[in-house]
Amino acid sequence: SPHFPFLLPPFARKIMADASKVVGAVDKTYSDIQTVKTRMTGVTGQLNQLKVAVATALPTDGGKGSSLNVAFVRQQLAKAKEDLAKFREAVRDAAEKGDTGGGVAGGGGMRKNMKDDKTRTLYERLGGDLNIETAVEMLYNKSLQDSRVRSFFEKNQRKMMNIRKRMYQFMSGFFGGPALYDMANLKPAHYHMNVTDYHFDVMLDLFAKALTELGVHPDAIKDVAAATGKIRKDITTGCTVRMELAKKNMEKGKDGLFKRLGGQEGIVVFIDRLYDLIAVDNRMKSKFVGKDIKKMKEGQYVYMTELLGGPKVYKGTDIAEIHKGVGLTDYEFDCFLGNMEKAMTGLGMEDETVDEVIISSEEIRAALLGRATGIAAHAKVVDGKCVLERLGGDMNVEAIVEMMYGGFRGDPRVKYFYEFSKEKLEGWKLKMTQFLVGAFGGAITYEDSKLRLAHYKYNITDYHFDAFIENFFVSCELMESDTAAVQDAAEVLGHVRKDITSGCTVRLEVARKRVESAGTDGLFEAVGGEDGLKLFMDKLYQHICTDARIQHYFSGSKLDAVKSTQGQYLSVIFGAPISYTGRPLDRVHAVMSISDFEFDCFLEHAQSALRDVGADTNSIDEAIVIMETARRDVLINRKPHDVRKTQEAASAKTVYERLGGDSGISNFVEQMYEKATADVRTKSFFEKNKAKVSVHKKQLVAFLTKLFGGPSSYELSDVRAAHYTLNLSDYHFDCLLDIFSDVFKEMGVKPKDLQDAIQALQPIRADVTTGYTVRMEMARKNVEKGKDQLFKRLGGSDGISSLMDALYKIALVDNRIKDLLLRDPERIKNGQAVYITEMLGGPKQYKGREIAAIHKDLGINDYDFDCYMGDLNRAMMGAGHPESLIDEVLVALEPIRADVLGHSRDAMDGVVMKDGQCLLDRFGGDQNVEATVENMFDRCVEDPRVRFHFERAKAKQRQIRRKFCNYLTGCFGGQVTYDIAELRPAHYNGNITDYHFDAMVDLFKTACFHMGVEQVAMYDAVILLNRSRADITTGCAVRMELAKKKNQLEGADQLFQRLGGLDGVMAMIDRLYECVERDKRINMFFEGAKLQSIKRQQTDYIIATLGGPADYRGRTLEDIHLVLQMNDYHLDCFMQNMGRALRDVGAEQDAVDEATVVLEQLRKQILFHHYKNSR
């Protein structure tokens, strides 16, 4: 009820409060709203006019309506939509003004704050059918008003409507909506138009502006630009190729062109025809009103004669001076060129001649339009500063280039072009820096006219150029350059695209057209037919097998089969009269991890091999064009490249360097030891004599130096052995991480460096805690069988009494805790003996006070309790009790800790409650927890690290999500609806390791970030999640450790024999292959000509691993799996099939578990390169 708001639920009260804020904001911006209303009235008026026009055109009862000008209505509707977009922008401005309490800030910030779901298609992110159609209408209206591209869009209404319709249909399908346009038509439709990269960039800019006005999210607009850039070559190739061929012809001399035009007489005829066309061209004739046309034509006869290769006889005024003040734009010049083309075509001139004339005429565009020439002419000046100054000067540009080159070496799209010696790369860096400095408005020390010649011979495509631009953008972002200056710099660089890519574009297009017109039969013969192809393959494989960059893709026993199949495929695409009988190319490469870099290396060797067999240049170009068409199928697993991550990694210092090197690490260890020995949670582990402390410190310095990327001989494999016998739990490990964090903060370490250091420490958690985890779990399981057997194994009441005597002899001389016992040691000892006897399964005879009440005011902490338990450990060892029994006693007595200390060691009140708010409230309440879990689970089913564990039926997935939500809600301080005691049993039989747990935490943090959870709340939530780590991972850790110990004690061959020896394992492998060949998740790894070879080698390896005869002599697992696109998910599926095969052939469950554990230990070797590439 609005009269009793306190009766409303919290979320409803929040909505009312938010509504009140909105009302207040509207009140504050009353004048802005009045302006908006005025604009809206104008839009309404336009729509009413359209309504009247349509109503007039519709037939009345028994009559006919007037004709409806559909084109006019659509044009007006588009204009109305633009005004509506402006209206919406005004509303945003007013709202933002209310939020900030300041001036109207524009809609850009609002759009950045909007949510953009990148999991949806671009079609959906742009707003679907209506928004795309509106954007096309707006684009056309803008194009008709932009002199740079206007000439391409001035058509009759019917033609315009048809073009708009096709553009909308194209965009619909291209952006992921209904496919209404045949993409094969795109290139032919634009091939004979003079659309350059300059025009394409203008259209991209206008389209981005239209989308911005429609309120599309900036990230979606950015992705639209990236996606649309992929069709650049389809739009511009025709013009590029014609112009380049014309340019190359003219480089031989223009006198040939002059002759083909018919000499001076031919040029007179051409000029006369040109002016006849201009006289009836409504777009241009106004520029010639009142002019002496005869005199103009006479001047142009002479000028064009010289321009087109005739005698140099022009003595008139400079062309730029003549046109000064005329106010010509690109539009008029494009119309002039269009009329020139019509005139020459009408006179029957060849296409090549027309192209050469247009190219020659293009040279005078800048002079006629009064523009400066050269690349630097495009550099914008803002507030008196050129682009170079706005980017921070020469030094900043040099730093940007340095970062770009670091990115290039790790970017598979362009890496191939930068695989050269350090000296050569340094020379290239210098030239690029010089070019950029000059292009951005600085001193010109590198002529941009050299660019075309320097890059012409390389196969650099628009794809590569776009990768270059993306690296430039990211480098500028990392340098924190001014955003507007970076955009202007990128626009300048866009003008050299043609100079960089034209060589490749022309060669490949000419070769493509030859193939299209003549077929590939000629190519097959050009390389020598069947014998030539065989020789070509031999030469190709000679090159490949000695190239360290790609030779690992062509090694192993299956090489001959691969070569044979590949030779057959190349023979077919080169025109051989045979059929390809192998698997489809995309299927063959679906399991392989191949990037553009490896494919480019392969093409390089293909070119060399073709030259070796005597193929001519044209044939080589044709062959490369044909092989290039296979790139998409070969790179079926190509993933988006993270440029930012690569550049950061290339320029980043190691954690060791960022922490200050040797001195920084040593200083850290000193401070960390001081804190650890003062912290009651960890003090017992660090209290040693001075000699031991000194040794430990040196070892820790060496360990951290190695872990953080510094020079150290410390073997990380020693960590587990060094900590195995210590009672270090996940709790202690987290305590140590807290101490590490505190010390780093006190040392002034930057947050990012601190985060990286802690992240580097997480993977060693299992090595540090596994020993304790396994011992305690085994002891716990024994205790669960009944404590009476524990009581008996200790010797009954007499044995426990003797144990207590031995304990007190040690404790009463232990300076750490003796003061707690000296008040009345005999009475305390006797009371503890009765209580402990009962705790360990003896008679229930304890009649004393509650343990918590006894210890309430004694101030006992974790350190004191750990010391007491340590003394008990020593007493039992002195009495000759086995380690397993000692562990069981410690497990049985651990529950006393909470009563003795007066709180649970795992109590997280300080984390859950902060500033009077529980974590649940700080997290955003139940609904935000639920939304975060949904987001996290969506990521889990896609993430290869944990995907296997989440592939369940939808009902099961919903159940797991609900339980996880309930668990988090209770942990975060809300209503407890999940019994935490169920956590361990629920996960005990799952093979969940610390690796999987860390992946889950990582995905949880990503989900929190996406949902806008504040950082402190997220950090506290992660701390709580880590408290459940042992419950989640213990089952797997125990099974793996027991299997390892069993192999060590009984020998590896015991498992082999339990599985049935050679016959049993062979039967299991046969069954395994039946399973994997039917498993669609992984069967692509087990097919093709190499299947029998794989099975044979895998059989030998598995037999040896399970304890059988060691006959395996193949490559290492790392080398075998180097080229495969295999991840954790695939291996998890394989292991699942392995377990199924073992059970199907009758193996006992404990043998299945042990075999699974043994094979699981190979994961790091199998996925070595996957993990390396995923960092």
Side-chain angles (χ1 to χ4, degrees):
S1 167
H3 300 292
F4 301 97
F6 51 84
L7 295 179
L8 293 172
F11 76 89
R13 291 202 297 272
K14 186 176 185 302
I15 290 172
M16 290 185 67
D18 290 343
S20 297
K21 289 180 182 178
V22 172
V23 172
V26 172
D27 289 339
K28 289 179 185 177
T29 56
Y30 179 79
S31 60
D32 288 326
I33 297 301
Q34 295 307 308
T35 303
V36 170
K37 286 171 68 177
T38 302
R39 292 185 185 180
M40 191 57 191
T41 301
V43 174
T44 305
Q46 287 181 323
L47 293 175
N48 282 333
Q49 288 178 10
L50 289 177
K51 180 180 177 182
V52 171
V54 173
T56 304
L58 292 175
T60 58
D61 294 338
K64 291 185 177 181
S66 61
S67 62
L68 177 63
N69 188 335
V70 177
F72 170 76
V73 171
R74 291 185 67 89
Q75 187 177 13
Q76 289 299 109
L77 184 58
K79 192 172 186 309
K81 286 177 179 177
E82 288 190 62
D83 287 339
L84 281 169
K86 292 175 182 177
F87 164 71
R88 180 160 48 183
E89 191 78 13
V91 172
R92 286 199 192 97
D93 290 351
E96 188 161 337
K97 179 180 177 181
D99 287 340
T100 59
V104 179
M110 294 292 290
R111 280 190 295 275
K112 287 179 182 177
N113 292 329
M114 293 188 303
K115 294 292 183 183
D116 177 44
D117 185 359
K118 293 193 176 184
T119 62
R120 299 188 302 163
T121 63
L122 270 175
Y123 178 81
E124 295 170 310
R125 290 165 66 194
L126 293 180
D129 178 75
L130 181 60
N131 252 24
I132 291 177
E133 186 175 7
T134 303
V136 170
E137 294 287 346
M138 293 170 68
L139 172 62
Y140 267 73
N141 288 339
K142 290 178 183 295
S143 300
L144 287 169
Q145 297 168 19
D146 194 306
S147 63
R148 298 171 295 177
V149 292
R150 179 180 168 187
S151 62
F152 293 101
F153 294 89
E154 280 195 326
K155 315 288 182 185
N156 63 60
Q157 288 296 330
R158 184 179 295 277
K159 183 78 171 175
M160 284 284 287
M161 293 299 295
N162 192 34
I163 294 174
R164 286 177 177 174
K165 179 182 177 181
R166 288 182 180 178
M167 181 175 279
Y168 158 71
Q169 291 173 336
F170 160 72
M171 288 186 176
S172 172
F174 186 70
F175 293 141
L180 307 171
Y181 183 85
D182 184 357
M183 291 292 291
N185 292 332
L186 195 62
K187 190 170 188 175
H190 295 86
Y191 200 83
H192 296 285
M193 298 172 66
N194 289 328
V195 183
T196 66
D197 286 297
Y198 170 72
H199 299 121
F200 188 85
D201 289 331
V202 170
M203 292 300 293
L204 276 185
D205 180 52
L206 295 178
F207 190 52
K209 288 178 179 176
L211 293 175
T212 300
E213 291 173 14
L214 283 171
V216 175
H217 194 281
D219 288 346
I221 296 175
K222 185 178 178 181
D223 290 345
V224 162
T228 310
K230 296 175 182 177
I231 61 163
R232 177 187 293 271
K233 64 180 181 181
D234 292 324
I235 307 295
T236 64
T237 291
C239 177
T240 300
V241 171
R242 290 197 313 279
M243 297 302 105
E244 281 299 316
L245 291 176
K247 191 177 293 185
K248 290 187 75 67
N249 284 335
M250 288 189 297
E251 286 172 356
K252 300 172 185 176
K254 286 186 179 180
D255 53 337
L257 172 61
F258 180 68
K259 291 175 183 176
R260 278 183 278 128
L261 287 169
Q264 198 157 357
E265 292 180 3
I267 288 179
V268 169
V269 173
F270 161 55
I271 295 297
D272 287 341
R273 178 61 181 148
L274 170 62
Y275 272 79
D276 288 343
L277 291 172
I278 290 173
V280 294
D281 189 338
N282 292 328
R283 303 170 301 173
M284 298 190 65
K285 63 183 182 181
S286 62
K287 294 288 183 182
F288 295 85
V289 173
K291 301 290 192 298
D292 187 342
I293 301 298
K294 183 179 179 182
K295 185 178 179 182
M296 290 177 67
K297 288 168 67 175
E298 288 173 352
Q300 284 206 358
Y301 294 151
V302 181
Y303 182 81
M304 295 299 283
T305 294
E306 183 174 317
L307 181 68
L308 299 177
K312 298 183 181 299
V313 293
Y314 181 73
K315 306 294 183 183
T317 309
D318 181 71
I319 197 78
E321 188 64 29
I322 292 173
H323 293 84
K324 189 175 183 180
V326 175
L328 291 178
T329 66
D330 285 289
Y331 171 65
E332 283 88 15
F333 191 78
D334 288 335
C335 293
F336 185 79
L337 291 183
N339 283 311
M340 287 180 71
E341 189 172 350
K342 284 182 183 178
M344 289 184 284
T345 303
L347 292 171
M349 295 183 187
E350 297 290 335
D351 288 345
E352 291 79 4
T353 302
V354 174
D355 289 339
E356 289 179 41
V357 171
I358 296 298
I359 278 290
S360 299
S361 302
E362 268 292 345
E363 296 173 3
I364 63 172
R365 181 188 291 263
L368 264 63
L369 272 56
R371 289 178 184 160
T373 57
I375 188 64
H378 301 290
K380 291 182 180 178
V381 175
V382 177
D383 296 330
K385 293 183 177 180
C386 65
V387 173
L388 178 65
E389 293 171 301
R390 292 156 60 205
L391 287 176
D394 298 37
M395 297 292 288
N396 260 22
V397 170
E398 187 177 348
I400 289 170
V401 170
E402 189 67 39
M403 294 189 76
M404 286 173 66
Y405 268 73
F408 293 153
R409 298 297 299 274
D411 190 331
R413 299 170 297 178
V414 293
K415 180 181 177 181
Y416 174 78
F417 299 102
Y418 297 91
E419 285 284 299
F420 295 98
S421 66
K422 185 177 180 181
E423 293 75 19
K424 195 164 188 176
L425 285 176
E426 288 302 321
W428 285 5
K429 286 181 191 176
L430 176 61
K431 288 181 180 179
M432 182 178 284
T433 302
Q434 291 173 338
F435 164 69
L436 292 180
V437 167
F440 295 158
I444 297 176
T445 54
Y446 182 89
E447 293 294 335
D448 55 88
S449 57
K450 298 178 182 178
L451 281 176
R452 181 172 172 272
L453 184 60
H455 295 87
Y456 200 84
K457 65 180 179 179
Y458 295 106
N459 286 331
I460 303 174
T461 66
D462 285 300
Y463 175 69
H464 301 119
F465 190 83
D466 289 336
F468 169 86
I469 292 295
E470 187 180 359
N471 274 274
F472 173 76
F473 268 117
V474 171
S475 296
C476 291
E477 286 176 11
L478 293 175
M479 287 293 295
E480 298 181 349
S481 303
D482 176 69
T483 303
V486 173
Q487 290 289 346
D488 290 343
E491 186 177 330
V492 172
L493 293 176
H495 289 281
V496 301
R497 178 187 291 270
K498 187 172 69 174
D499 293 323
I500 306 295
T501 64
S502 59
C504 176
T505 301
V506 170
R507 286 195 304 279
L508 298 189
E509 185 63 15
V510 169
R512 185 186 67 79
K513 290 182 78 67
R514 275 203 303 268
V515 170
E516 284 180 356
S517 60
T520 56
D521 297 358
L523 177 59
F524 178 66
E525 296 302 326
V527 296
E530 186 177 344
D531 292 338
L533 251 300
K534 186 177 182 301
L535 180 60
F536 162 69
M537 290 302 297
D538 289 339
K539 294 289 185 183
L540 174 61
Y541 270 66
Q542 286 175 15
H543 289 295
I544 286 170
C545 292
T546 56
D547 187 340
R549 300 172 298 176
I550 58 172
Q551 63 183 184
H552 45 275
Y553 290 92
F554 300 88
S555 56
S557 58
K558 59 184 181 293
L559 182 59
D560 289 338
V562 172
K563 181 179 177 183
S564 175
T565 305
Q566 200 170 61
Q568 185 190 59
Y569 177 81
L570 290 175
S571 295
V572 171
I573 66 173
F574 284 177
I578 60 174
S579 299
Y580 174 65
T581 58
R583 290 178 295 153
L585 213 59
D586 57 346
R587 184 71 179 177
V588 173
H589 296 88
V591 300
M592 302 179 73
S593 178
I594 302 177
S595 71
D596 286 286
F597 172 66
E598 286 85 18
F599 191 83
D600 288 333
C601 293
F602 181 86
L603 289 184
E604 172 195 322
H605 292 310
Q607 285 178 300
S608 299
L610 286 166
R611 281 193 289 270
D612 291 344
V613 299
D616 61 81
T617 302
N618 288 338
S619 297
I620 292 174
D621 284 343
E622 287 180 40
I624 296 303
V625 164
I626 292 170
M627 285 190 279
E628 183 65 48
T629 61
R631 185 184 291 263
R632 182 176 297 177
D633 289 334
V634 173
L635 306 187
I636 190 74
N637 291 311
R638 180 163 59 185
K639 295 178 180 177
H641 176 66
D642 191 332
V643 175
R644 188 181 186 92
K645 183 178 179 181
T646 302
Q647 287 197 14
E648 286 178 336
S651 59
K653 294 181 179 179
T654 63
V655 175
Y656 166 79
E657 293 171 311
R658 286 180 277 158
L659 293 178
D662 286 341
S663 60
I665 299 291
S666 298
N667 182 32
F668 165 77
V669 169
E670 289 294 331
Q671 293 188 48
M672 189 279 295
Y673 250 81
E674 186 178 337
K675 273 190 178 294
T677 51
D679 192 309
V680 296
R681 302 170 299 174
T682 56
K683 185 176 180 180
S684 61
F685 297 101
F686 290 86
E687 274 193 329
K688 312 291 180 185
N689 61 55
K690 287 186 177 180
K692 271 195 172 183
V693 167
S694 178
V695 171
H696 284 174
K697 285 181 179 178
K698 287 180 181 178
Q699 289 176 334
L700 187 55
V701 168
F703 161 70
L704 291 176
T705 298
K706 181 81 169 185
L707 187 69
F708 292 154
S712 172
S713 58
Y714 187 91
E715 289 293 334
L716 294 178
S717 57
D718 294 339
V719 174
R720 178 167 293 207
H723 294 85
Y724 198 85
T725 58
L726 300 178
N727 288 330
L728 280 164
S729 65
D730 281 297
Y731 167 78
H732 295 116
F733 191 84
D734 287 329
C735 292
L736 286 172
L737 289 185
D738 287 343
I739 292 170
F740 276 41
S741 295
D742 290 341
V743 174
F744 282 137
K745 289 174 184 175
E746 290 172 8
M747 290 174 61
V749 172
K750 295 178 181 178
K752 177 67 168 64
D753 298 339
L754 189 157
Q755 181 183 350
D756 290 345
I758 297 299
Q759 189 170 331
L761 287 162
Q762 282 290 5
I764 65 152
R765 178 189 290 271
D767 292 323
V768 173
T769 64
T770 291
Y772 172 80
T773 300
V774 171
R775 289 197 313 277
M776 293 304 103
E777 184 61 18
M778 291 170 62
R780 185 184 65 80
K781 292 183 79 69
N782 285 333
V783 170
E784 285 177 352
K785 298 173 183 176
K787 291 183 180 179
D788 52 340
Q789 50 83 27
L790 182 58
F791 177 68
K792 292 174 183 176
R793 288 163 64 202
L794 285 169
S797 297
D798 292 340
I800 293 176
S801 179
S802 298
L803 177 61
M804 293 302 295
D805 289 339
L807 167 61
Y808 266 71
K809 284 181 182 178
I810 297 171
L812 289 174
V813 295
D814 186 339
N815 292 327
R816 301 172 300 174
I817 59 172
K818 66 180 183 180
D819 291 341
L820 295 170
L821 306 171
L822 286 175
R823 290 170 301 164
D824 192 349
E826 195 65 27
R827 182 179 64 80
I828 295 172
K829 181 184 72 172
N830 292 335
Q832 286 183 354
V834 175
Y835 184 82
I836 288 175
T837 297
E838 184 175 316
M839 288 288 295
L840 298 178
K844 297 184 182 297
Q845 297 176 344
Y846 182 72
K847 306 295 183 184
R849 290 184 296 157
E850 293 287 336
I851 298 299
I854 294 173
H855 297 85
K856 183 178 179 182
D857 299 319
L858 297 182
I860 296 175
N861 56 39
D862 277 297
Y863 173 66
D864 303 322
F865 192 86
D866 287 338
C867 292
Y868 180 86
M869 297 295 276
D871 289 343
L872 175 60
N873 193 347
R874 290 172 59 194
M876 292 186 71
M877 290 177 66
H881 291 301
E883 285 186 13
S884 59
L885 180 58
I886 296 173
D887 289 339
E888 289 176 41
V889 169
L890 296 179
V891 164
L893 296 180
E894 181 61 36
I896 304 173
R897 183 188 295 264
D899 290 333
V900 172
L901 272 59
H903 62 83
S904 170
R905 184 169 70 175
D906 292 328
M908 299 299 294
D909 290 343
V911 175
V912 175
M913 296 298 298
K914 281 187 178 176
D915 300 325
Q917 278 191 312
C918 70
L919 180 55
L920 182 63
D921 291 335
R922 292 186 285 126
F923 208 86
D926 299 41
Q927 292 182 344
N928 221 32
V929 169
E930 185 176 350
T932 304
V933 169
E934 288 288 335
N935 191 292
M936 185 188 87
F937 269 67
D938 288 343
R939 297 174 191 279
C940 288
V941 296
E942 297 292 334
D943 193 298
R945 297 173 294 178
V946 293
R947 177 182 170 187
F948 176 80
H949 298 282
F950 289 87
E951 276 196 331
R952 302 286 186 269
K954 289 186 177 180
K956 184 68 174 176
Q957 282 192 16
R958 286 195 297 270
Q959 183 185 28
I960 295 172
R961 291 183 185 189
R962 185 171 64 252
K963 286 184 177 181
F964 190 50
C965 278
N966 293 342
Y967 166 71
L968 290 184
T969 299
C971 283
F972 293 175
Q975 184 179 3
V976 177
T977 56
Y978 181 85
D979 184 358
I980 199 168
E982 295 179 7
L983 205 57
R984 181 167 296 203
H987 296 87
Y988 200 83
N989 293 318
N991 287 328
I992 303 174
T993 65
D994 282 291
Y995 171 73
H996 298 119
F997 190 88
D998 289 332
M1000 287 287 295
V1001 170
D1002 181 45
L1003 294 172
F1004 176 77
K1005 290 193 291 187
T1006 303
C1008 288
F1009 176 79
H1010 185 78
M1011 295 302 299
V1013 176
E1014 65 175 33
Q1015 194 167 4
V1016 175
M1018 180 189 74
Y1019 180 75
D1020 288 345
V1022 169
I1023 292 175
L1024 286 173
L1025 283 176
N1026 270 308
R1027 288 289 184 255
S1028 66
R1029 181 185 292 268
D1031 291 324
I1032 306 294
T1033 62
T1034 292
C1036 179
V1038 168
R1039 287 195 303 280
M1040 293 183 75
E1041 200 62 23
L1042 287 178
K1044 192 185 297 182
K1045 278 182 168 292
K1046 193 164 188 175
N1047 277 339
Q1048 290 172 350
L1049 294 172
E1050 300 178 15
D1053 61 338
Q1054 55 83 25
L1055 175 59
F1056 184 70
Q1057 297 304 325
R1058 286 162 59 208
L1059 292 173
L1062 188 60
D1063 291 341
V1065 174
M1066 290 292 288
M1068 180 274 291
I1069 292 174
D1070 286 339
R1071 178 60 184 146
L1072 170 64
Y1073 268 71
E1074 290 175 4
C1075 294
V1076 297
E1077 286 177 35
R1078 290 200 304 267
D1079 190 336
K1080 293 181 179 179
R1081 302 172 298 176
I1082 57 172
N1083 60 6
M1084 59 278 194
F1085 293 99
F1086 299 90
E1087 60 184 17
K1090 58 185 180 291
L1091 178 60
Q1092 291 306 314
S1093 173
I1094 292 173
K1095 183 178 180 181
R1096 185 169 56 252
Q1097 292 187 50
Q1098 203 169 61
T1099 299
D1100 292 342
Y1101 194 93
I1102 290 176
I1103 288 172
T1105 303
L1106 295 177
D1111 290 334
Y1112 179 76
R1113 294 184 178 85
R1115 293 176 293 155
T1116 64
L1117 290 181
E1118 290 92 334
D1119 286 345
I1120 291 171
H1121 296 88
L1122 171 61
V1123 302
L1124 297 181
Q1125 187 72 15
M1126 184 178 286
N1127 55 43
D1128 287 284
Y1129 172 68
H1130 300 123
L1131 188 56
D1132 288 334
C1133 294
F1134 179 84
M1135 295 299 288
Q1136 182 188 45
N1137 282 293
M1138 174 72 74
R1140 181 179 296 142
L1142 284 165
R1143 286 189 292 272
D1144 287 350
V1145 297
E1148 298 292 333
Q1149 187 58 48
D1150 63 334
V1152 174
D1153 286 343
E1154 193 173 337
T1156 301
V1157 163
V1158 170
L1159 294 171
E1160 178 63 41
Q1161 294 170 16
L1162 304 175
R1163 183 179 293 265
K1164 286 185 179 179
Q1165 295 167 258
I1166 294 172
L1167 300 180
F1168 175 80
H1169 293 284
H1170 168 70
Y1171 292 149
K1172 181 181 177 182
N1173 295 331
S1174 299
R1175 289 172 190 161

